[in-house]
Coordinates of all heavy atoms in Angstrom, one line a residue:
N541 N 13.1 15.0 14.0 CA 12.7 13.7 13.8 C 12.0 13.5 12.5 O 10.9 14.1 12.3 CB 11.8 13.3 15.0 CG 11.6 11.8 15.1 OD1 12.3 11.0 14.4 ND2 10.7 11.4 16.0
Q542 N 12.6 12.8 11.6 CA 12.0 12.6 10.2 C 11.3 11.3 10.1 O 11.8 10.3 10.6 CB 13.1 12.8 9.2 CG 13.7 14.2 9.1 CD 14.7 14.3 8.0 OE1 15.0 13.3 7.3 NE2 15.3 15.5 7.8
T543 N 10.2 11.3 9.4 CA 9.6 10.0 9.1 C 9.6 9.8 7.5 O 9.5 10.8 6.8 CB 8.2 9.9 9.6 OG1 7.4 11.0 9.0 CG2 8.1 10.0 11.1
L544 N 9.6 8.6 7.1 CA 9.6 8.3 5.7 C 8.3 7.5 5.4 O 8.1 6.4 5.9 CB 10.8 7.4 5.3 CG 10.8 6.9 3.9 CD1 11.0 8.0 2.9 CD2 11.9 5.9 3.7
P545 N 7.4 8.1 4.6 CA 6.1 7.4 4.3 C 6.4 6.2 3.4 O 7.2 6.4 2.4 CB 5.3 8.5 3.6 CG 6.2 9.6 3.2 CD 7.4 9.5 4.0
V546 N 5.8 5.1 3.7 CA 6.0 3.9 2.9 C 4.7 3.3 2.5 O 3.7 3.4 3.2 CB 6.9 2.9 3.6 CG1 8.3 3.3 3.9 CG2 6.2 2.4 4.9
L547 N 4.8 2.6 1.4 CA 3.7 1.8 0.9 C 4.0 0.3 1.3 O 5.1 -0.2 1.0 CB 3.5 1.8 -0.6 CG 2.5 0.8 -1.2 CD1 1.1 1.3 -1.0 CD2 2.8 0.6 -2.7
T548 N 3.1 -0.3 2.1 CA 3.3 -1.6 2.5 C 2.4 -2.6 1.8 O 1.3 -2.2 1.4 CB 3.1 -1.8 4.1 OG1 1.8 -1.4 4.4 CG2 4.1 -0.9 4.8
F549 N 2.9 -3.8 1.6 CA 2.1 -4.8 0.9 C 2.6 -6.2 1.3 O 3.7 -6.3 1.9 CB 2.2 -4.7 -0.6 CG 3.6 -4.8 -1.1 CD1 4.1 -6.1 -1.6 CD2 4.5 -3.8 -1.2 CE1 5.4 -6.2 -2.1 CE2 5.8 -3.9 -1.6 CZ 6.2 -5.1 -2.1
R550 N 1.7 -7.2 1.2 CA 2.1 -8.6 1.5 C 2.3 -9.4 0.2 O 1.6 -9.2 -0.8 CB 1.0 -9.2 2.3 CG 0.9 -8.6 3.7 CD 0.2 -9.5 4.6 NE 0.2 -9.0 6.0 CZ 1.1 -9.2 6.9 NH1 2.1 -10.0 6.6 NH2 1.1 -8.6 8.1
C551 N 3.3 -10.2 0.3 CA 3.6 -11.1 -0.8 C 3.9 -12.5 -0.2 O 4.9 -12.6 0.6 CB 4.8 -10.6 -1.7 SG 5.2 -11.7 -3.0
R552 N 3.1 -13.4 -0.5 CA 3.2 -14.8 0.0 C 3.4 -14.8 1.5 O 4.2 -15.5 2.1 CB 4.4 -15.5 -0.7 CG 4.1 -15.7 -2.2 CD 5.1 -16.6 -2.8 NE 4.8 -16.8 -4.2 CZ 5.6 -17.4 -5.1 NH1 6.7 -18.0 -4.7 NH2 5.3 -17.5 -6.3
G553 N 2.6 -14.0 2.2 CA 2.5 -14.0 3.6 C 3.5 -13.1 4.3 O 3.5 -13.0 5.5
Q554 N 4.5 -12.5 3.6 CA 5.5 -11.7 4.2 C 5.2 -10.2 3.9 O 4.7 -9.8 2.8 CB 6.9 -12.0 3.6 CG 7.3 -13.4 4.0 CD 8.7 -13.7 3.7 OE1 9.6 -12.8 3.8 NE2 9.0 -14.9 3.3
L555 N 5.5 -9.3 4.8 CA 5.2 -7.9 4.7 C 6.5 -7.2 4.1 O 7.6 -7.4 4.6 CB 4.9 -7.3 6.1 CG 4.5 -5.9 6.2 CD1 3.2 -5.6 5.4 CD2 4.4 -5.4 7.6
F556 N 6.2 -6.4 3.2 CA 7.3 -5.6 2.5 C 6.8 -4.1 2.5 O 5.7 -3.8 2.6 CB 7.5 -6.0 1.1 CG 8.0 -7.4 0.9 CD1 7.2 -8.5 0.8 CD2 9.4 -7.6 0.9 CE1 7.7 -9.8 0.7 CE2 9.9 -8.9 0.8 CZ 9.0 -10.0 0.7
G557 N 7.8 -3.2 2.3 CA 7.5 -1.8 2.2 C 8.5 -1.1 1.3 O 9.6 -1.5 1.2
V558 N 8.0 -0.1 0.5 CA 8.8 0.7 -0.3 C 8.5 2.1 -0.1 O 7.3 2.5 0.2 CB 8.6 0.3 -1.8 CG1 9.1 -1.1 -2.1 CG2 7.2 0.5 -2.3
S559 N 9.4 3.0 -0.3 CA 9.2 4.4 -0.1 C 8.1 4.9 -1.1 O 8.2 4.5 -2.3 CB 10.5 5.2 -0.4 OG 10.2 6.6 -0.5
V560 N 7.2 5.7 -0.7 CA 6.2 6.2 -1.6 C 6.8 7.1 -2.7 O 6.2 7.3 -3.7 CB 5.1 7.0 -0.8 CG1 4.3 6.1 0.1 CG2 5.6 8.2 -0.1
I561 N 8.0 7.6 -2.5 CA 8.6 8.4 -3.5 C 8.9 7.5 -4.7 O 8.9 8.0 -5.9 CB 10.0 9.0 -3.0 CG1 9.6 10.0 -1.9 CG2 10.8 9.6 -4.1 CD1 10.8 10.4 -1.1
D562 N 9.1 6.2 -4.5 CA 9.4 5.3 -5.6 C 8.1 4.7 -6.3 O 8.2 3.9 -7.2 CB 10.3 4.1 -5.1 CG 11.6 4.7 -4.7 OD1 12.2 5.6 -5.3 OD2 12.2 4.2 -3.6
V563 N 7.0 5.0 -5.7 CA 5.7 4.4 -6.2 C 5.0 5.4 -7.2 O 4.8 6.6 -6.8 CB 4.7 4.1 -5.1 CG1 3.4 3.6 -5.6 CG2 5.4 3.1 -4.1
K564 N 4.8 4.9 -8.4 CA 4.1 5.8 -9.4 C 2.6 5.5 -9.3 O 1.8 6.5 -9.5 CB 4.6 5.5 -10.8 CG 4.0 6.3 -11.9 CD 4.6 6.0 -13.2 CE 4.0 6.9 -14.3 NZ 4.6 6.6 -15.6
E565 N 2.2 4.3 -9.2 CA 0.8 3.9 -9.2 C 0.6 2.6 -8.6 O 1.4 1.7 -8.6 CB 0.3 3.9 -10.7 CG -1.1 3.5 -10.9 CD -1.5 3.6 -12.4 OE1 -0.8 4.3 -13.2 OE2 -2.5 3.0 -12.7
V566 N -0.6 2.4 -8.0 CA -1.0 1.1 -7.5 C -2.2 0.5 -8.3 O -3.2 1.2 -8.4 CB -1.4 1.2 -6.0 CG1 -1.9 -0.2 -5.5 CG2 -0.3 1.7 -5.1
T567 N -2.0 -0.6 -8.9 CA -3.0 -1.3 -9.7 C -3.3 -2.7 -9.1 O -2.3 -3.5 -9.0 CB -2.6 -1.4 -11.1 OG1 -2.3 -0.1 -11.6 CG2 -3.7 -1.9 -12.0
L568 N -4.5 -2.9 -8.7 CA -4.8 -4.2 -8.1 C -5.1 -5.2 -9.1 O -6.0 -5.1 -9.9 CB -5.9 -4.1 -7.1 CG -5.7 -3.1 -5.9 CD1 -7.0 -3.0 -5.1 CD2 -4.6 -3.6 -5.1
E569 N -4.3 -6.3 -9.2 CA -4.6 -7.5 -10.0 C -5.0 -7.1 -11.5 O -6.1 -7.4 -11.9 CB -5.6 -8.4 -9.4 CG -5.3 -8.8 -8.0 CD -5.0 -10.3 -7.8 OE1 -5.1 -11.0 -8.8 OE2 -4.8 -10.6 -6.7
P570 N -4.1 -6.5 -12.2 CA -4.4 -6.2 -13.6 C -4.5 -7.4 -14.4 O -3.9 -8.5 -14.1 CB -3.2 -5.3 -14.1 CG -2.1 -5.7 -13.2 CD -2.7 -6.1 -11.9
T571 N -5.2 -7.4 -15.5 CA -5.3 -8.5 -16.4 C -4.0 -8.5 -17.3 O -3.6 -7.5 -17.8 CB -6.5 -8.4 -17.4 OG1 -7.7 -8.3 -16.6 CG2 -6.6 -9.6 -18.3
Y572 N -3.3 -9.6 -17.3 CA -2.1 -9.7 -18.0 C -2.2 -10.7 -19.2 O -3.0 -11.7 -19.1 CB -0.9 -10.0 -17.2 CG -0.9 -11.3 -16.4 CD1 -0.4 -12.5 -17.0 CD2 -1.4 -11.4 -15.1 CE1 -0.5 -13.7 -16.4 CE2 -1.5 -12.6 -14.5 CZ -1.0 -13.7 -15.1 OH -1.1 -14.9 -14.4
T573 N -1.4 -10.5 -20.2 CA -1.4 -11.4 -21.3 C -0.1 -12.3 -21.2 O 1.0 -11.7 -21.2 CB -1.4 -10.7 -22.7 OG1 -2.5 -9.8 -22.7 CG2 -1.3 -11.6 -23.9
P574 N -0.2 -13.6 -21.1 CA 1.0 -14.4 -21.0 C 1.9 -14.3 -22.2 O 1.4 -14.1 -23.3 CB 0.4 -15.9 -20.9 CG -1.0 -15.7 -20.4 CD -1.5 -14.4 -21.0
I575 N 3.2 -14.6 -22.0 CA 4.1 -14.6 -23.1 C 4.8 -16.0 -23.1 O 5.3 -16.4 -22.1 CB 5.2 -13.5 -22.9 CG1 4.6 -12.1 -22.7 CG2 6.2 -13.5 -24.0 CD1 5.6 -11.1 -22.2
A576 N 4.7 -16.6 -24.2 CA 5.3 -18.0 -24.4 C 6.8 -18.0 -24.1 O 7.5 -17.0 -24.5 CB 4.9 -18.5 -25.7
H577 N 7.2 -19.1 -23.6 CA 8.7 -19.4 -23.5 C 9.4 -18.4 -22.6 O 10.6 -18.1 -22.8 CB 9.3 -19.5 -24.8 CG 8.6 -20.4 -25.8 ND1 8.5 -21.8 -25.6 CD2 7.9 -20.1 -26.9 CE1 7.8 -22.3 -26.6 NE2 7.4 -21.3 -27.4
M578 N 8.8 -17.9 -21.6 CA 9.4 -17.0 -20.6 C 9.7 -17.7 -19.3 O 9.1 -18.7 -19.0 CB 8.5 -15.8 -20.3 CG 8.4 -14.8 -21.4 SD 9.8 -13.8 -21.4 CE 10.4 -14.0 -23.1
P579 N 10.7 -17.2 -18.5 CA 10.9 -17.8 -17.2 C 9.7 -17.7 -16.3 O 8.8 -16.9 -16.6 CB 12.1 -16.9 -16.7 CG 12.6 -16.2 -17.8 CD 11.6 -16.1 -18.8
S580 N 9.6 -18.5 -15.3 CA 8.5 -18.6 -14.4 C 8.1 -17.3 -13.7 O 7.0 -17.1 -13.4 CB 8.6 -19.7 -13.4 OG 9.7 -19.5 -12.6
E581 N 9.1 -16.4 -13.5 CA 8.8 -15.2 -12.8 C 8.1 -14.1 -13.7 O 7.6 -13.1 -13.3 CB 10.0 -14.5 -12.2 CG 11.1 -14.2 -13.2 CD 12.2 -15.3 -13.4 OE1 11.9 -16.4 -13.0 OE2 13.2 -14.9 -13.9
V582 N 8.1 -14.4 -15.0 CA 7.4 -13.5 -16.0 C 6.0 -13.9 -16.1 O 5.7 -15.0 -16.6 CB 8.1 -13.4 -17.3 CG1 7.4 -12.5 -18.3 CG2 9.6 -13.0 -17.2
L583 N 5.0 -13.1 -15.6 CA 3.6 -13.4 -15.8 C 3.1 -13.1 -17.2 O 2.2 -13.8 -17.6 CB 2.8 -12.7 -14.7 CG 3.1 -13.0 -13.3 CD1 2.4 -12.1 -12.3 CD2 2.8 -14.4 -12.9
G584 N 3.6 -12.1 -17.8 CA 3.2 -11.6 -19.1 C 3.3 -10.1 -19.2 O 4.1 -9.5 -18.5
Y585 N 2.4 -9.5 -20.0 CA 2.5 -8.1 -20.1 C 1.1 -7.5 -19.8 O 0.1 -8.2 -19.9 CB 3.0 -7.6 -21.4 CG 2.1 -7.9 -22.6 CD1 1.1 -7.1 -23.0 CD2 2.4 -9.1 -23.4 CE1 0.3 -7.4 -24.1 CE2 1.6 -9.4 -24.5 CZ 0.6 -8.5 -24.8 OH -0.2 -8.8 -25.9
V586 N 1.1 -6.2 -19.4 CA -0.2 -5.6 -19.1 C -0.2 -4.3 -19.9 O 0.8 -3.7 -20.2 CB -0.4 -5.2 -17.6 CG1 -0.5 -6.5 -16.8 CG2 0.8 -4.4 -17.0
N587 N -1.4 -3.8 -20.2 CA -1.6 -2.6 -20.9 C -2.2 -1.6 -19.9 O -3.4 -1.8 -19.6 CB -2.5 -2.8 -22.1 CG -2.7 -1.5 -23.0 OD1 -2.5 -0.4 -22.5 ND2 -3.0 -1.7 -24.2
I588 N -1.5 -0.6 -19.5 CA -2.0 0.4 -18.5 C -2.1 1.7 -19.3 O -1.1 2.3 -19.6 CB -1.0 0.6 -17.3 CG1 -0.7 -0.8 -16.6 CG2 -1.6 1.6 -16.4 CD1 -1.9 -1.4 -15.8
R589 N -3.3 2.0 -19.7 CA -3.6 3.3 -20.4 C -2.7 3.4 -21.6 O -2.1 4.5 -21.9 CB -3.5 4.5 -19.5 CG -4.7 4.6 -18.5 CD -4.6 5.8 -17.7 NE -3.4 5.9 -16.9 CZ -3.1 5.2 -15.8 NH1 -3.9 4.3 -15.4 NH2 -2.0 5.4 -15.2
G590 N -2.5 2.3 -22.4 CA -1.7 2.4 -23.6 C -0.3 2.1 -23.4 O 0.5 2.0 -24.4
Q591 N 0.2 2.0 -22.2 CA 1.6 1.7 -22.0 C 1.8 0.2 -21.7 O 1.1 -0.3 -20.8 CB 2.1 2.6 -20.8 CG 3.6 2.4 -20.6 CD 4.2 3.3 -19.5 OE1 3.4 4.0 -18.8 NE2 5.5 3.4 -19.4
I592 N 2.6 -0.4 -22.4 CA 2.8 -1.9 -22.3 C 3.9 -2.1 -21.2 O 5.0 -1.6 -21.4 CB 3.2 -2.6 -23.6 CG1 2.1 -2.2 -24.7 CG2 3.4 -4.1 -23.4 CD1 0.7 -2.7 -24.3
L593 N 3.6 -2.8 -20.2 CA 4.5 -3.1 -19.1 C 4.6 -4.6 -18.8 O 3.7 -5.3 -19.0 CB 4.0 -2.4 -17.8 CG 3.8 -0.9 -17.9 CD1 3.1 -0.4 -16.6 CD2 5.1 -0.2 -18.1
L594 N 5.8 -5.0 -18.4 CA 6.1 -6.4 -18.1 C 5.6 -6.7 -16.7 O 5.8 -6.0 -15.8 CB 7.6 -6.7 -18.2 CG 8.0 -8.2 -18.1 CD1 7.4 -8.9 -19.3 CD2 9.5 -8.3 -18.1
A595 N 4.8 -7.8 -16.5 CA 4.3 -8.2 -15.2 C 5.1 -9.3 -14.7 O 5.3 -10.3 -15.3 CB 2.8 -8.6 -15.3
L596 N 5.7 -9.1 -13.5 CA 6.6 -10.1 -12.9 C 6.0 -10.6 -11.6 O 5.3 -9.8 -10.9 CB 8.0 -9.4 -12.6 CG 8.7 -8.9 -13.8 CD1 9.9 -8.1 -13.4 CD2 9.1 -10.0 -14.8
C597 N 6.3 -11.8 -11.2 CA 5.9 -12.3 -9.9 C 7.0 -12.1 -8.9 O 8.1 -12.8 -9.0 CB 5.6 -13.8 -10.1 SG 5.1 -14.6 -8.5
L598 N 6.8 -11.2 -8.0 CA 7.8 -10.9 -7.0 C 8.1 -12.1 -6.1 O 9.3 -12.3 -5.8 CB 7.3 -9.7 -6.1 CG 8.2 -9.2 -5.0 CD1 9.5 -8.7 -5.6 CD2 7.5 -8.2 -4.2
G599 N 7.1 -12.8 -5.7 CA 7.3 -14.0 -4.9 C 8.2 -15.0 -5.6 O 9.1 -15.6 -4.9
T600 N 8.1 -15.3 -6.9 CA 8.9 -16.2 -7.6 C 10.3 -15.6 -7.7 O 11.3 -16.3 -7.5 CB 8.3 -16.5 -9.0 OG1 7.0 -17.1 -8.8 CG2 9.2 -17.5 -9.8
M601 N 10.4 -14.3 -8.0 CA 11.7 -13.7 -8.2 C 12.5 -13.8 -6.9 O 13.8 -13.9 -6.9 CB 11.6 -12.2 -8.6 CG 11.0 -12.1 -10.0 SD 10.8 -10.4 -10.4 CE 12.4 -9.7 -10.4
M602 N 11.9 -13.6 -5.8 CA 12.6 -13.7 -4.5 C 12.6 -15.1 -3.9 O 13.1 -15.2 -2.7 CB 11.9 -12.7 -3.5 CG 12.0 -11.3 -4.0 SD 11.1 -10.1 -2.9 CE 12.1 -10.3 -1.4
Q603 N 12.1 -16.1 -4.6 CA 12.1 -17.5 -4.2 C 11.4 -17.6 -2.8 O 11.9 -18.4 -1.9 CB 13.5 -18.0 -4.1 CG 14.2 -18.0 -5.5 CD 15.6 -18.5 -5.5 OE1 16.3 -18.6 -4.4 NE2 16.1 -18.8 -6.7
L604 N 10.3 -16.9 -2.6 CA 9.5 -17.1 -1.4 C 8.7 -18.3 -1.5 O 8.1 -18.6 -2.6 CB 8.6 -15.8 -1.2 CG 9.3 -14.5 -1.1 CD1 8.3 -13.4 -1.0 CD2 10.2 -14.5 0.2
P605 N 8.5 -19.0 -0.4 CA 7.6 -20.2 -0.4 C 6.2 -19.9 -0.7 O 5.7 -18.8 -0.3 CB 7.8 -20.8 0.9 CG 8.3 -19.7 1.8 CD 9.0 -18.8 0.9
E606 N 5.5 -20.8 -1.4 CA 4.0 -20.6 -1.7 C 3.3 -20.7 -0.4 O 3.6 -21.4 0.5 CB 3.5 -21.7 -2.6 CG 4.1 -21.7 -4.0 CD 3.5 -20.6 -4.9 OE1 2.4 -20.1 -4.5 OE2 4.1 -20.3 -6.0
T607 N 2.2 -19.8 -0.2 CA 1.4 -19.8 1.0 C 0.0 -20.4 0.8 O -0.7 -20.5 1.7 CB 1.3 -18.4 1.6 OG1 0.7 -17.6 0.7 CG2 2.7 -17.9 2.0
G608 N -0.4 -20.5 -0.5 CA -1.7 -21.0 -0.8 C -2.8 -19.9 -0.8 O -3.9 -20.1 -1.0
H609 N -2.3 -18.6 -0.7 CA -3.3 -17.5 -0.8 C -3.3 -17.0 -2.2 O -2.4 -16.9 -2.9 CB -2.8 -16.3 0.1 CG -2.9 -16.7 1.5 ND1 -2.0 -16.2 2.4 CD2 -3.6 -17.6 2.2 CE1 -2.2 -16.7 3.6 NE2 -3.2 -17.5 3.5

């Protein structure tokens, strides 16, 4: 009997999970720098220990309804 460890999280009131094998790091609400003229799902970029990463809104990308949270 095998079990798969997962990281669970909520996005706009819905529960999601991903295999911990695919998770490199968890960062809660990093400060991001907005980028002009980008689609609504692009929040901006974040600097994580010198590495520049694109911040995306999962809820917008998946067209989930707003929950007010």
Side-chain angles (χ1 to χ4, degrees):
N541 195 9
Q542 295 182 358
T543 59
L544 175 68
V546 296
L547 171 77
T548 60
F549 61 95
R550 290 197 178 273
C551 179
R552 296 188 181 175
Q554 295 191 33
L555 183 64
F556 294 90
V558 294
S559 168
V560 296
I561 294 169
D562 297 320
V563 177
K564 181 176 180 181
E565 179 176 341
V566 175
T567 304
L568 301 176
E569 306 248 0
T571 302
Y572 62 87
T573 302
I575 304 170
H577 311 292
M578 285 283 126
S580 60
E581 62 267 15
V582 177
L583 297 173
Y585 66 87
V586 294
N587 184 335
I588 306 289
R589 289 181 303 285
Q591 186 175 10
I592 305 301
L593 304 170
L594 190 62
L596 302 171
C597 178
L598 181 62
T600 301
M601 291 177 65
M602 295 178 64
Q603 299 178 344
L604 300 175
E606 295 281 347
T607 61
H609 297 146

